[in-house]
Amino acid sequence: MRRLAIRALGAALLIPTLPLLAGLALGVRLSMGAPVLFRQQRAGLGGQPFTLFKLRSMREANGPDGRPLPDEARVTGFGRFLRRSRLDELPGLWNVARGDMTFVGPRPLLPETIAALGTRGMARGHVRPGLTGWAQVNGNTLLSLDEKIALDLWYVDHAGPMLDLRILARTAWVMIGGERRRPAAALVSGAD
């Protein structure tokens, strides 16, 4: 029943966000061209693959060797705004409505990253991935992959409605104030 309620809420939230999504999509189109959406295979619950949807925040640009330039060189000003505000994640409501994701859980990673993590990757897949998560409100891009995985595994072991509400509240704060790395002891203990 809870799973159905989350999917229904994801679908219901898509409707009032459509005008905002349309405006943001126009911004992506004008600043980066087409396509507007970024689609990528990610690992979901139990490692099952699904297609993640986000607003695109990087332009296509390759170096002389034909390889994509580093992310920093491809992210546009509008893309930085989308990432900082987390508005690039709005199309993920479709993933929530489909049941691929939920609102709070570890962010979905590439299947090959999950495979490379071995037992840690499998343990991480015991819960459905989320639009936001414990690692995202405790530093996100300021953390190493190992730190993020440790936080994700802490979440898997401590998941519950009260922690989810706490993460949602902190997500709003991150959207307004930006990312901040929390002290290491607080990261793995959940302490404030």
Side-chain angles (χ1 to χ4, degrees):
M1 205 59 182
R2 180 176 186 267
R3 183 82 232 118
L4 215 52
I6 289 171
R7 290 181 67 178
L9 181 59
L13 287 174
L14 268 173
I15 296 165
T17 61
L18 284 177
L20 176 59
L21 270 169
L24 294 172
L26 179 62
V28 169
R29 177 71 182 199
L30 293 174
S31 66
M32 291 172 254
V36 169
L37 288 178
F38 172 78
R39 296 175 178 99
Q40 190 175 58
Q41 284 293 112
R42 298 288 177 100
L45 183 66
Q48 290 298 314
F50 73 96
T51 302
L52 174 78
F53 294 94
K54 293 174 69 168
L55 287 170
R56 197 162 67 106
S57 59
M58 292 191 289
R59 61 189 175 87
E60 307 254 346
N62 295 323
D65 60 359
R67 294 180 140 175
L69 292 173
D71 288 359
E72 310 81 54
R74 295 186 297 140
V75 176
T76 66
F78 190 68
R80 273 189 286 285
F81 160 74
L82 288 174
R83 286 181 171 196
R84 184 184 179 281
S85 64
R86 303 291 193 267
L87 291 172
D88 62 327
E89 301 290 350
L90 272 179
L93 288 171
W94 176 248
N95 290 115
V96 174
R98 287 174 38 107
D100 300 324
M101 293 175 61
T102 187
F103 290 102
V104 179
R107 287 293 297 154
L109 297 177
L110 295 167
E112 53 268 25
T113 303
I114 293 296
L117 289 169
T119 56
R120 293 187 308 157
M122 288 180 5
R124 199 178 174 278
H126 289 159
V127 297
R128 204 172 297 277
L131 290 176
T132 187
W134 189 236
Q136 284 61 50
V137 299
N138 283 294
N140 195 21
T141 61
L142 306 175
L143 303 171
S144 69
L145 178 61
D146 280 339
E147 289 172 315
K148 288 182 191 180
I149 299 305
L151 292 170
D152 290 342
L153 294 175
W154 184 90
Y155 174 82
V156 169
D157 290 340
H158 297 88
M162 292 310 291
L163 179 57
D164 287 358
L165 288 174
R166 187 171 157 200
I167 291 170
L168 289 171
R170 283 193 183 176
T171 298
W173 182 252
V174 169
M175 289 174 73
I176 296 165
E179 291 178 348
R180 288 186 180 82
R181 184 184 171 92
R182 302 207 35 217
L187 293 180
V188 293
S189 70
D192 280 320

